[in-house]
Amino acid sequence: MIKKESLLYTFAFLVDGCISVVWFCIPLLALRLGASYEDLGALGAIGSLAYALSCLLAGRLSDRVGYRSTIIYTCFLIVLVFSSYLVVSQVVHLLILGAITGVVVAGLWPPLQAWIGQGKEGRRLLHALSGYNISWSLGVLAGPVLGGLLYAVYPTGVFALCAALMGLLAIGLTVVRVREEEVPAAAASGPTSFPLARRFLPIAWIANFATFFSGGAIRALFPKLAGDLKISPELLGYLLGLIGVAQLVTFVVLARGGWWQFRWGPLAAIQLVGAGGLFLLAASQSPFILGVALLLHGLQAGVTFTASIFYSLYTRGGGGRRTGFHEAIIGSGFLFGPLLGGLAAEHIGSRSPYLLSAGVVFGGLALQYYFLKNSRGAG
């Protein structure tokens, strides 16, 4: 029998690493098939739309069906989807598969996050989420690097390896015995924490949307810019891996205390830092400066993601509905970032998506300030 947290942390690392490899390789496969900027934007947008809408259903469904069962069924479906990339020969095939992938992957993260946070509040919730965030960020760190190396050697074999891994994980999660942690009868936090969390929840969601709008544009369109700058797939993998490095560092720092909770100042400051990184992406041709910019984006993503999931799970009862909405926010950012960024790149210039993303961050900050100013007792 294995402790639930240990199992889910390992699972999050392997699954996120596997999916990161696939998401990294899909745009490269699309470029091999002759995809344009608009094609790349549409590819990211279609998958993200399917993911965002499906997360709303998957979160609610997992509250009823059970978190573990939902994850197992999803893993088996992912095996079929990843295997389908082996027979792709046209960009339109990728568009169809991108939508299917978005629908299926939505069955993973809302139930996994809700299962980890089940029965936890305050410091116990922060500790559990910190372990989860560090685990999946290590997967994101390894994924692009491994994806770049594997794709350079055997492009189509990447999808076969990832499908096999997901199958093994599904079988493992089916047969292993899990020791659930007992839920304490009394709440560990003060009675005023829940209403305060509800007030900060929309602020965190807005910040997270702006972050993943930017992240969606970067992941979908930066490979094309890197190609124009003669950056190799291997170096591209390392550069995108820096996002995971920054996220990992951020998660470790945030896990050390609750100094950032229920305060808008740290959340606003990191968004300004991320906007600075976007300006660097719009201006520089140096791989070193581009790497710094991606690090800054990773810092922003680490903070806004943590705030969003923390406030989403800081509640009593089933967490699937809120984690579903949390992931839908991420999916909607990944929808509009590639879509609008791809159009901007095609009709304005290859650097315009990053200026557009910076504008979204500043617009989000203004909206957060409005919510905070008009929310009594928000601090």
Side-chain angles (χ1 to χ4, degrees):
M1 184 175 291
I2 185 173
K3 187 178 179 181
K4 182 184 76 172
E5 284 74 15
S6 299
L7 172 67
L8 296 186
Y9 295 161
T10 303
F11 183 86
F13 166 72
L14 293 174
V15 170
D16 221 316
C18 182
I19 292 177
S20 295
V21 168
V22 171
W23 284 127
F24 174 82
C25 293
I26 287 175
L28 297 178
L29 178 59
L31 292 173
R32 283 185 60 201
L33 298 175
S36 65
Y37 266 122
E38 287 182 331
D39 292 329
L40 292 175
L43 182 61
I46 289 174
S48 298
L49 174 62
Y51 179 78
L53 296 177
S54 300
C55 278
L56 298 174
L57 174 62
R60 293 176 179 271
L61 183 64
S62 66
D63 281 334
R64 299 181 180 182
V65 175
Y67 303 137
R68 182 177 184 175
S69 298
T70 304
I71 295 169
I72 291 171
Y73 296 145
T74 298
C75 287
F76 281 119
L77 290 175
I78 289 176
V79 173
L80 299 176
V81 174
F82 283 1
S83 299
S84 300
Y85 283 97
L86 298 172
V87 297
V88 166
S89 60
Q90 299 179 32
V91 174
V92 67
H93 297 160
L94 282 179
L95 295 175
I96 296 171
L97 270 179
I100 297 173
T101 303
V103 171
V104 173
V105 171
L108 279 178
W109 303 122
L112 181 61
Q113 294 163 359
W115 194 9
I116 289 174
Q118 189 176 33
K120 296 181 176 66
E121 300 170 9
R123 291 191 176 185
R124 294 175 63 245
L125 176 60
L126 176 60
H127 177 76
L129 291 179
S130 297
Y132 165 73
N133 286 340
I134 291 171
S135 298
W136 74 255
S137 65
L138 285 171
V140 170
L141 171 61
V145 176
L146 184 60
L149 295 174
L150 291 175
Y151 192 88
V153 176
Y154 188 22
T156 56
V158 174
F159 300 101
L161 290 173
C162 290
L165 176 59
M166 293 303 301
L168 292 175
L169 290 172
I171 295 172
L173 194 58
T174 301
V175 301
V176 72
R177 296 178 62 191
V178 181
R179 185 173 77 250
E180 293 277 359
E181 185 179 12
E182 292 185 5
V183 178
S189 57
T192 60
S193 297
F194 291 104
L196 195 57
R198 285 195 294 271
R199 292 189 181 100
F200 271 87
L201 182 57
I203 294 171
W205 279 347
I206 293 169
N208 214 32
F209 170 80
T211 297
F212 282 90
F213 181 101
S214 307
I218 290 171
R219 293 184 184 277
L221 303 175
F222 185 73
K224 177 71 170 175
L225 175 62
D228 295 340
L229 297 176
K230 309 302 181 183
I231 294 175
S232 68
E234 293 89 344
L235 180 56
L236 173 61
Y238 288 122
L239 287 174
L240 291 178
L242 292 174
I243 297 176
V245 172
Q247 286 177 333
L248 174 61
V249 172
T250 304
F251 292 146
V252 171
V253 172
L254 295 181
R256 300 180 71 85
W259 53 269
W260 53 272
Q261 296 169 17
F262 311 113
R263 297 176 60 198
W264 186 57
L267 189 62
I270 198 62
Q271 292 174 81
L272 293 174
V273 170
L278 292 169
F279 286 126
L280 292 178
L281 286 176
S284 179
Q285 296 186 3
S286 165
F288 175 79
I289 299 299
L290 295 174
V292 171
L294 294 173
L295 280 171
L296 295 180
H297 172 73
L299 294 175
Q300 178 187 358
V303 173
T304 63
F305 181 92
T306 299
S308 179
I309 192 174
F310 178 81
Y311 297 129
S312 294
L313 286 173
Y314 207 103
T315 181
R316 294 188 175 97
R321 181 180 64 86
R322 283 193 172 190
T323 55
F325 201 86
H326 159 80
E327 288 294 321
I329 290 288
I330 293 174
S332 64
F334 276 135
L335 164 64
F336 292 107
L339 180 63
L340 299 180
L343 291 173
E346 191 75 23
H347 298 288
I348 300 176
S350 61
R351 305 301 184 112
S352 59
Y354 311 112
L355 295 176
L356 172 64
S357 296
V360 171
V361 171
F362 285 118
L365 282 167
L367 192 56
Q368 292 163 53
Y369 177 76
Y370 173 82
F371 268 95
L372 190 63
K373 186 178 180 181
N374 289 277
S375 178
R376 292 183 178 179

